[in-house]
Amino acid sequence: MNKPLSDGAGSDISTWQAFCATLKRDLVIAFKRKNDLLNPIMFFLIVVSLFPLGISPDPVELSKVSAGVVWVSALLASMLSLDNLYRADYEDGSLEQLLLSPQPLYFLVLAKNIAHWLISGLPVVVLSPLLAYMLYLPSEAYWTLVLTLMIGTPVLSLFGSIGVALTVGLGSRGLILAVIVLPLSTPVLIIGAKAVTDVMFGLPVGSHFALLGAILALALTMAPLASAAALRISVN
Amino acid sequence: MNKPLSDGAGSDISTWQAFCATLKRDLVIAFKRKNDLLNPIMFFLIVVSLFPLGISPDPVELSKVSAGVVWVSALLASMLSLDNLYRADYEDGSLEQLLLSPQPLYFLVLAKNIAHWLISGLPVVVLSPLLAYMLYLPSEAYWTLVLTLMIGTPVLSLFGSIGVALTVGLGSRGLILAVIVLPLSTPVLIIGAKAVTDVMFGLPVGSHFALLGAILALALTMAPLASAAALRISVN
Amino acid sequence: MHTNLHNPDSGFSSLLQASALFCERDERVLFSGLDLTVSAGELVQIKGSNGSGKTTLLRILCGLNEDYEGDILWKGESLSEERENFLSSMIYIGHRVGVNRILTPRENLRWSASLHAPIDDNRIVAALGRLGLRAYEDIPCRNLSAGQTQRVALSRLLISPACLWILDEPFTTLDVHGVKHLESLLSEHVNAGGAVILTTHHALNVSCQWRALDLDSRRAAA
Amino acid sequence: MHTNLHNPDSGFSSLLQASALFCERDERVLFSGLDLTVSAGELVQIKGSNGSGKTTLLRILCGLNEDYEGDILWKGESLSEERENFLSSMIYIGHRVGVNRILTPRENLRWSASLHAPIDDNRIVAALGRLGLRAYEDIPCRNLSAGQTQRVALSRLLISPACLWILDEPFTTLDVHGVKHLESLLSEHVNAGGAVILTTHHALNVSCQWRALDLDSRRAAA
Amino acid sequence: MWLWFSKLGSPRWFYELSNKWLPWLYVAMMVLMSVGLLWALLFVPEDYQQGQTIRIMYVHVPVASISLACFPLMAVAGTITLVWKMKLADMVAKSVAPIGAWFTGLALASGAIWGDQIWGTWWAWDARLTSLLIQFFLFIGVIALRSAIESQDAAAKACAILAIVGAINVPIIKYSVEWWNTLHQPASDFSMDPVAPNPPEVWVPLLIMISAVYVFFVIALILRTRNEILQRERRSQWVIDLVSREKSV
Ligand code: HEM
Ligand SMILES: Nc1ncnc2c1ncn2[C@@H]1O[C@H](COP(=O)(O)OP(=O)(O)OP(=O)(O)O)[C@@H](O)[C@H]1O
Ligand SMILES: Nc1ncnc2c1ncn2[C@@H]1O[C@H](COP(=O)(O)OP(=O)(O)OP(=O)(O)O)[C@@H](O)[C@H]1O
Ligand SMILES: [Mg+2]
Ligand SMILES: [Mg+2]
């Protein structure tokens, strides 16, 4: 058998390679399933269109609530797809393999979170101007909406990941997740929706963006650590 | 071995017993998990409170959208818990056992759907007046809201079951469900929310209730058949 | 009611009869022209290397998989017409054993039984005890080991009135005693006039009439 | 780079050393005061009846389960300090084998490899080929049979540079050829200076130094 | 120092120490509670604006202030659990969660009753109310997680993580909500800070009530923790001795 039997530790290069391989793997899985790619968009579209149906088709009414509705839908779309993040890996044992990798778990978890955002968050961001149009959002607020979603949706993925990681070993699905993840996402939702509304009233929004950015930075550095710790516990 | 080796078919009594046993089993599972009981309520509460956060805390604004928000939240709460309906049974092989029962599948599926409604729909109905209050729904519309939810949520469970049954064999979770189930539930949502809004304007709502009742009757007779057929295909 | 399995009225000693079965998956023909008859009082072992189609065959025979060509008869009648009769006298345990991880062994068995005909609790406890699960009746199945979970599934055999057992690798994860015990259960059932179709990669050691069907050698011959 | 497993610098021929392990689950003591040393060049089989704690022991040894008391040393150093070194020279395959059902065998292996050290595609194809999966490299794993999936997992052993293999019932669902093949792989690895800890209920037939640890007899003695 | 620390971590030590504390705490609570309640209900003058409803304040403010303290307490206990693996910290964390949920619920309810009288509505999407509601959800989340995970150790660590993440989050929520609200609904017809302009007749009994409820909280926490200790250590020798002693008495 001519294979090198190593007993050394991983280097920086191999950490980077493991990061890329994990990111690519999750994207490939999503592409193969196809549904995973289409569904966040469809879900987002449907929820947003439920509102005119459930509330009132009146443009004036709708334009007042449109920022909130788009943001709430983005949050729900991101949350619904969270279940895919670790569940399948837990069930087929891939998660154990991930935990037993010599590479720092922080980066592997981060890779999975980024993949999740690319699949569920980014399409929502791209699609949001269309929905804003459908809900009669004043056009001067489009850019703010897109930008807040761009900063806010990664936070949803990162925080959501903690919730899934904590519950992945449990029997029940979906709902416990919601109970844990939603409170964590509230600030992002409030700030994001507020920024859009403020722009509609011609108010300055710099501080909102600063705050969102700060939350994103916090989430990027801390959330994967919390997720990693939670995964170790869940697999135990 | 002194056990009777039967080769006869099931009687009506044993169909009834299988129905009860299945209903009881699903309720027992939910009770054991505890979360399953608490979570629909919590989820409903949280989603309902997301809207004021995303939209505006202004009572006048809120009271206009309250009927729609409660209905959309009820729909989402029912939908999120749908995943529990067949997924675990599929994965551990219990679903195969269900399909191989000599009892008519219609009744077994119906039992599972009723259990799902008792766990996820009924609490929402019971809780809805409180949420309506928090969202400033005019008090003359409370009864209409409760009644429409009472008729509407079983429909959501029954239709939702078709969606889960169709997708239970697929790798991806959550979202495809939303994409299939939401469009099926839209009519119920529209009629329910419309009835509540009409009451607020003092309009008659008899025809809405007649329509909801008709949909429920249709769903009760047809949906379990469709779910049963879908399950057979998914397990194939 | 203790019915005789060799039902004298029907005049059929063959229970399940499959003829000219053809199945392909992913454009690979698994088997074609396969004939198989299983009679009361015999055990048939389906052999074959990994991926030769054993699981597929069993799922076709019990009606879970309908992607095949050919005929399957139950006591001489077409399976699709006799479905209800067939289902009430057949039990299948597959790779995924059908044990809920939240419920206890007792609750799992109670539900399994009720799908066919409800039985009382003593029989359930006795069945679990016979499979070495005494004192584990009321522990959630998620806390059981792999082999213990398999035993929960197998105890369904003891409380089921079915005369045809279809078992896909039932020996998986069983320890040495468990294997012996299951072998004696199989022999007992077959000798009492039941029938068994099973797959296993292990050298079977039963004291009853048994024969093997080797999917590999069939293919080699073709 | 072809490192010698008997690292002359470290002076330790024992790789993994567990002492005074104690573990209980659901208030049942699984083992207490258990000592186990695994050295380079030997295979240790953990034996025991269903539910005796084999899986639990393996998961403790590889660091997945932390609900235990006692010490585990890797090459003489505490496992918690040497974690990274330990993980890069150990491979674990459990009851749940870690094969994604949507990806193909090739993609699965590529990812598994990258978690340790990426390797090129030819080695992956060769490894799959050696385990009888030639022509199955690019079929999604959900379309593979139970035994084929197990083989995908096992081919990780061929591409991994790890010197310690920890395998939980690796023979499950393998056919007769598969079992022989795996046995020869194990012998090869051990004779090349690697170490293996495994559980199985099957009578092992390997041509290398091996010994068994029986959890049942330990408990009986206690 | 280290010795003291590990001793503090010993459940047995805590159990025996709390044995000595409890009687004093009971007495303190009785005195404070009766003085505070009598004073608040009988002697505090009616408010010129709020009338008799001012008396709700003596329940509402103490309860609300404790409910805010519970989450940080749980997070601190969680941190100790994660870092020093101290068993007692987790027992405290586990005991705080339901108490915190109850107090939060009571604060919500008492505020709602009061609000119904004063604002004419029990609920408004106001900053404090909203952030407290979300904190209530977080408590429920922690309790649900605890009950869902079977392994005690795993549950301890998982809840610790959630408590810490939640504790970082609660101030963020509070801040963001506050600032979201001030624009849409300026704090107008009610002031949350009426202590300063009020005479000592009003705030002295309030202080007494706050201390009474704090003592009550500490007692509840100790009792729950003791319960938890007995539950978890039921197989250790000292608990067995204790139980047999109690039985023989
Ligand atoms: C559901 C409704 C309410 C909730 C959830 C609520 C919640 C709170 C909270 C969280 C505090 C903070 C306690 C602290 O900082 O120690 C507080 C304090 C207070 N609340 Fe409320 N409250 C509600 C309704 C009311 C109403 C209707 C009034 C009367 C006008 C009121 C008057 C006060 C006062 C006077 C304080 C003490 C302020 C201080 O010392 O900082 N609250 N409440
Ligand atoms: N998650 C768990 N929680 C609590 N107890 C468990 C858990 N998993 C297993 N057990 C218990 O621990 C004991 C040992 O289980 P383990 O899986 O280690 O057995 P095993 O020796 O691998 O058995 P098998 O041969 O059946 O695989 C069993 O009695 C089981 O009931
Ligand atoms: N869902 C599926 N879709 C397409 N092909 C499948 C599917 N399941 C199995 N196959 C293919 O059918 C063939 C037979 O699979 P089957 O599971 O019947 O094998 P088996 O004889 O039971 O093998 P094992 O001993 O490994 O359990 C395999 O080549 C497999 O690739
Ligand atoms: Mg098979
Ligand atoms: Mg095991």
Side-chain angles (χ1 to χ4, degrees):
Chain A
M1 235 170 24
N2 58 353
K3 57 178 179 182
L5 292 170
S6 103
D7 48 9
S11 68
D12 282 1
I13 299 170
S14 63
T15 301
W16 171 244
Q17 282 170 327
F19 175 86
C20 294
T22 306
L23 181 64
K24 192 175 151 204
R25 167 180 184 270
D26 276 22
L27 292 178
V28 168
I29 293 177
F31 269 88
K32 291 214 175 178
R33 278 201 199 131
K34 292 195 194 77
N35 290 319
D36 277 13
L37 287 178
L38 202 64
N39 278 336
I41 307 179
M42 288 301 299
F43 177 79
F44 189 51
L45 273 172
I46 293 175
V47 172
V48 169
S49 45
L50 282 183
F51 274 91
L53 297 175
I55 296 170
S56 107
D58 175 23
V60 181
E61 290 292 306
L62 278 178
S63 82
K64 282 190 211 147
V65 298
S66 52
V69 168
V70 171
W71 255 98
V72 172
S73 314
L75 196 159
L76 291 175
S78 158
M79 216 192 56
L80 271 183
S81 58
L82 272 179
D83 206 30
N84 289 329
L85 194 48
Y86 304 112
R87 177 76 59 182
D89 291 340
Y90 175 78
E91 269 157 16
D92 68 20
S94 301
L95 200 55
E96 290 170 0
Q97 298 296 331
L98 195 87
L99 292 181
L100 291 178
S101 163
Q103 312 300 341
L105 205 49
Y106 173 89
F107 291 105
L108 304 180
V109 168
L110 187 63
K112 287 186 83 72
N113 290 357
I114 293 177
H116 176 259
W117 179 73
L118 289 175
I119 298 158
S120 76
L122 191 56
V124 162
V125 176
V126 171
L127 210 68
S128 56
L130 174 64
L131 293 174
Y133 177 82
M134 287 167 62
L135 293 172
Y136 308 101
L137 185 79
S139 55
E140 66 270 22
Y142 281 15
W143 273 112
T144 317
L145 180 70
V146 172
L147 275 179
T148 51
L149 283 173
M150 191 81 183
I151 308 176
T153 46
V155 179
L156 301 182
S157 295
L158 287 162
F159 278 159
S161 155
I162 303 176
V164 210
L166 281 171
T167 55
V168 71
L170 310 179
S172 75
R173 309 238 153 105
L175 284 175
I176 180 155
L177 187 60
V179 173
I180 292 175
V181 173
L182 285 184
L184 292 179
S185 339
T186 322
V188 181
L189 173 84
I190 294 175
I191 301 169
K194 184 70 170 55
V196 182
T197 329
D198 278 6
V199 162
M200 285 161 60
F201 289 108
L203 299 172
V205 289
S207 64
H208 299 339
F209 277 108
L211 205 57
L212 274 183
I215 294 180
L216 177 60
L218 184 78
L220 268 177
T221 46
M222 305 301 292
L225 289 179
S227 301
L231 284 178
R232 274 196 218 286
I233 295 164
S234 291
V235 167
N236 201 359
Chain B
M1 238 173 19
N2 59 352
K3 57 181 177 180
L5 293 168
S6 103
D7 49 9
S11 67
D12 282 0
I13 298 170
S14 63
T15 301
W16 171 243
Q17 280 168 328
F19 174 88
C20 294
T22 306
L23 181 64
K24 190 174 154 208
R25 167 181 183 269
D26 276 24
L27 291 179
V28 168
I29 292 178
F31 270 88
K32 291 214 175 180
R33 281 200 199 129
K34 292 194 198 87
N35 289 317
D36 279 13
L37 287 179
L38 200 66
N39 278 335
I41 307 178
M42 289 303 300
F43 177 80
F44 188 51
L45 271 172
I46 293 175
V47 173
V48 168
S49 45
L50 279 183
F51 278 96
L53 294 176
I55 296 171
S56 114
D58 176 25
V60 182
E61 290 290 305
L62 279 178
S63 84
K64 283 189 206 146
V65 298
S66 53
V69 167
V70 171
W71 255 97
V72 170
S73 310
L75 196 158
L76 291 175
S78 157
M79 218 191 54
L80 265 185
S81 57
L82 271 178
D83 207 27
N84 289 330
L85 193 51
Y86 302 115
R87 175 77 57 184
D89 291 341
Y90 174 78
E91 270 156 17
D92 69 20
S94 300
L95 199 55
E96 289 170 1
Q97 299 296 332
L98 193 87
L99 292 180
L100 291 178
S101 163
Q103 312 300 341
L105 205 48
Y106 172 89
F107 290 104
L108 303 181
V109 168
L110 187 62
K112 287 186 82 73
N113 290 356
I114 292 177
H116 175 258
W117 180 74
L118 289 175
I119 298 159
S120 76
L122 191 56
V124 163
V125 175
V126 172
L127 211 67
S128 56
L130 175 64
L131 293 171
Y133 177 85
M134 288 173 66
L135 294 171
Y136 309 102
L137 185 80
S139 55
E140 67 270 22
Y142 282 13
W143 271 112
T144 317
L145 181 70
V146 173
L147 273 179
T148 52
L149 283 173
M150 192 80 183
I151 308 177
T153 45
V155 179
L156 299 181
S157 293
L158 287 162
F159 279 161
S161 155
I162 305 177
V164 211
L166 279 171
T167 56
V168 73
L170 307 177
S172 75
R173 310 238 154 103
L175 283 175
I176 179 149
L177 188 60
V179 174
I180 293 178
V181 173
L182 284 183
L184 285 177
S185 335
T186 320
V188 181
L189 175 89
I190 295 176
I191 301 169
K194 188 78 172 50
V196 181
T197 330
D198 279 5
V199 163
M200 285 161 60
F201 290 109
L203 298 172
V205 288
S207 64
H208 297 330
F209 277 108
L211 206 55
L212 274 183
I215 294 180
L216 177 59
L218 185 77
L220 268 176
T221 46
M222 306 301 292
L225 290 179
S227 299
L231 283 178
R232 274 196 217 286
I233 296 168
S234 290
V235 167
N236 201 0
Chain C
M1 184 192 72
H2 195 124
T3 34
N4 193 328
L5 283 170
H6 288 279
N7 193 326
D9 307 337
S10 71
F12 278 97
S13 87
S14 86
L15 290 174
L16 197 67
Q17 202 172 0
S19 51
L21 285 189
F22 169 89
C23 175
E24 65 174 7
R25 301 202 93 157
D26 286 336
E27 309 193 359
R28 231 179 281 258
V29 176
L30 290 184
F31 37 78
S32 71
L34 186 143
D35 299 313
L36 170 68
T37 308
V38 184
S39 309
E42 74 174 346
L43 180 154
V44 180
Q45 178 190 6
I46 315 283
K47 281 185 166 178
S49 54
N50 290 141
S52 58
K54 302 179 294 299
T55 298
T56 312
L57 177 59
L58 293 194
R59 289 175 71 90
I60 288 174
L61 290 180
C62 74
L64 281 175
N65 187 333
E66 291 173 354
D67 280 348
Y68 67 92
E69 288 161 34
D71 295 312
I72 305 181
L73 303 182
W74 171 249
K75 294 190 178 168
E77 316 267 339
S78 151
L79 190 60
S80 47
E81 283 161 27
E82 282 293 294
R83 197 168 167 81
E84 202 180 320
N85 275 325
F86 169 65
L87 289 181
S88 57
S89 27
M90 187 275 298
I91 184 166
Y92 167 78
I93 300 179
H95 277 305
R96 288 186 274 189
V97 291
V99 172
N100 183 291
R101 285 160 50 76
I102 288 165
L103 296 179
T104 64
R106 187 200 299 266
E107 288 160 338
N108 265 303
L109 281 194
R110 202 180 289 147
W111 180 66
S112 296
S114 82
L115 287 182
H116 295 82
I119 58 169
D120 69 72
D121 239 43
N122 297 338
R123 292 235 349 247
I124 292 179
V125 175
L128 288 171
R130 267 195 79 184
L131 276 158
L133 292 171
R134 177 144 300 141
Y136 287 91
E137 292 99 350
D138 297 313
I139 289 181
C141 289
R142 63 186 313 156
N143 289 2
L144 298 183
S145 78
Q148 288 169 329
T149 312
Q150 182 77 13
R151 284 160 188 256
V152 175
L154 291 175
S155 37
R156 282 212 293 269
L157 298 176
L158 290 174
I159 56 166
S160 148
C163 61
L164 174 63
W165 294 358
I166 301 188
L167 311 175
D168 200 354
E169 305 202 14
F171 296 98
T172 315
T173 68
L174 288 189
D175 61 19
V176 189
H177 295 292
V179 169
K180 285 228 183 70
H181 192 76
L182 178 56
E183 281 172 343
S184 72
L185 273 185
L186 293 175
S187 313
E188 227 175 282
H189 178 69
V190 171
N191 290 333
V196 177
I197 312 179
L198 58 75
T199 69
T200 180
H201 296 298
H202 128 120
L204 210 58
N205 180 13
V206 288
S207 55
C208 63
Q209 191 183 333
W210 74 284
R211 61 200 169 84
L213 171 76
D214 192 335
L215 294 180
D216 290 337
S217 63
R218 266 184 47 81
R219 190 154 348 136
Chain D
M1 188 191 67
H2 196 121
T3 35
N4 192 330
L5 281 173
H6 287 278
N7 195 327
D9 308 336
S10 73
F12 279 97
S13 86
S14 85
L15 292 174
L16 197 67
Q17 202 171 359
S19 50
L21 286 190
F22 169 88
C23 176
E24 65 174 8
R25 300 201 94 157
D26 286 336
E27 309 194 0
R28 232 178 280 257
V29 176
L30 290 183
F31 37 79
S32 72
L34 186 143
D35 299 312
L36 171 68
T37 308
V38 185
S39 309
E42 74 173 346
L43 181 153
V44 179
Q45 178 189 4
I46 315 284
K47 280 185 165 177
S49 54
N50 290 140
S52 57
K54 302 178 296 298
T55 299
T56 310
L57 177 59
L58 292 194
R59 290 174 71 90
I60 287 175
L61 289 180
C62 74
L64 281 176
N65 188 331
E66 291 172 355
D67 280 349
Y68 66 93
E69 287 160 35
D71 295 311
I72 305 181
L73 303 181
W74 171 247
K75 295 190 179 168
E77 317 265 342
S78 151
L79 191 60
S80 47
E81 283 161 27
E82 283 292 292
R83 197 169 166 80
E84 203 181 320
N85 276 324
F86 169 66
L87 290 180
S88 57
S89 26
M90 187 276 298
I91 184 166
Y92 166 78
I93 300 180
H95 277 306
R96 288 187 275 187
V97 290
V99 172
N100 184 289
R101 285 161 50 77
I102 287 165
L103 296 178
T104 64
R106 188 201 298 268
E107 289 160 336
N108 265 304
L109 280 195
R110 202 181 290 147
W111 180 68
S112 297
S114 82
L115 286 182
H116 295 82
I119 58 169
D120 69 69
D121 239 43
N122 297 338
R123 292 231 356 243
I124 291 179
V125 175
L128 288 171
R130 267 193 82 183
L131 277 159
L133 292 171
R134 177 143 299 141
Y136 286 92
E137 292 97 350
D138 297 313
I139 289 180
C141 289
R142 65 186 312 153
N143 288 1
L144 297 182
S145 77
Q148 288 169 329
T149 311
Q150 182 75 13
R151 284 159 186 258
V152 174
L154 292 175
S155 38
R156 283 213 293 270
L157 298 176
L158 291 174
I159 57 167
S160 148
C163 62
L164 174 62
W165 294 359
I166 300 186
L167 311 174
D168 200 355
E169 304 202 16
F171 296 99
T172 316
T173 69
L174 289 189
D175 61 20
V176 189
H177 295 292
V179 169
K180 284 230 184 70
H181 192 75
L182 178 56
E183 282 172 342
S184 71
L185 274 185
L186 294 175
S187 313
E188 228 174 281
H189 177 69
V190 171
N191 291 331
V196 176
I197 312 178
L198 57 73
T199 68
T200 180
H201 296 298
H202 127 121
L204 210 58
N205 180 12
V206 287
S207 54
C208 64
Q209 191 183 333
W210 74 284
R211 63 200 167 84
L213 171 77
D214 192 334
L215 294 180
D216 290 337
S217 61
R218 266 184 48 81
R219 189 155 346 138
Chain E
M1 167 68 192
W2 180 245
L3 236 174
W4 176 82
F5 201 65
S6 60
K7 202 171 153 198
L8 187 71
S10 144
R12 179 182 182 180
W13 173 83
F14 177 85
Y15 192 91
E16 282 161 5
L17 191 70
S18 61
N19 257 344
K20 290 181 212 140
W21 290 353
L22 273 175
W24 296 105
L25 288 171
Y26 283 132
V27 172
M29 186 187 74
M30 288 303 209
V31 172
L32 287 170
M33 195 68 99
S34 39
V35 171
L37 273 181
L38 284 177
W39 194 341
L41 292 183
L42 301 179
F43 301 112
V44 168
E46 275 189 29
D47 190 81
Y48 71 99
Q49 247 185 347
Q50 310 188 355
Q52 294 291 352
T53 53
I54 186 72
R55 309 201 192 284
I56 301 176
M57 180 174 79
Y58 297 99
V59 177
H60 172 74
V61 175
V63 164
S65 76
I66 286 180
S67 72
L68 293 186
C70 283
F71 217 95
L73 181 59
M74 192 165 67
V76 169
T79 314
I80 295 175
T81 310
L82 285 183
V83 178
W84 288 289
K85 306 203 163 46
M86 191 188 285
K87 275 190 196 162
L88 183 60
D90 179 54
M91 297 181 192
V92 172
K94 183 174 178 187
S95 314
V96 177
I99 303 180
W102 272 111
F103 271 95
T104 312
L106 278 179
L108 286 168
S110 62
I113 294 169
W114 201 4
D116 196 30
Q117 303 292 318
I118 290 187
W119 307 334
T121 172
W122 340 322
W123 190 254
W125 291 97
D126 163 82
R128 262 192 215 206
L129 278 60
T130 309
S131 56
L132 202 64
L133 182 67
I134 289 171
Q135 184 188 307
F136 181 66
F137 292 154
L138 275 171
F139 270 122
I140 299 285
V142 174
I143 295 170
L145 190 66
R146 170 88 64 176
S147 78
I149 303 179
E150 278 168 44
S151 153
Q152 196 164 280
D153 245 39
K157 291 186 210 156
C159 291
I161 291 177
L162 188 56
I164 293 167
V165 174
I168 297 174
N169 214 52
V170 166
I172 302 182
I173 295 174
K174 194 161 171 340
Y175 176 58
S176 62
V177 175
E178 211 155 87
W179 153 87
W180 151 81
N181 186 48
T182 41
L183 271 164
H184 281 266
Q185 190 188 314
S188 55
D189 45 0
F190 59 94
S191 156
M192 279 282 196
D193 186 20
V195 176
N198 277 309
E201 299 98 276
V202 174
W203 62 259
V204 171
L206 181 61
L207 277 185
I208 294 176
M209 275 308 287
I210 290 180
S211 4
V213 177
Y214 256 98
V215 175
F216 173 77
F217 166 74
V218 171
I219 290 175
L221 184 59
I222 288 179
L223 287 180
R224 272 192 153 268
T225 309
R226 283 163 62 93
N227 224 342
E228 192 61 31
I229 290 174
L230 291 187
Q231 182 83 36
R232 290 199 198 178
E233 307 255 303
R234 65 188 171 284
R235 277 172 300 152
S236 71
Q237 197 52 45
W238 72 272
V239 174
I240 295 171
D241 289 348
L242 190 84
V243 171
S244 58
R245 223 179 308 140
E246 305 242 306
K247 263 191 199 141
S248 64
V249 170

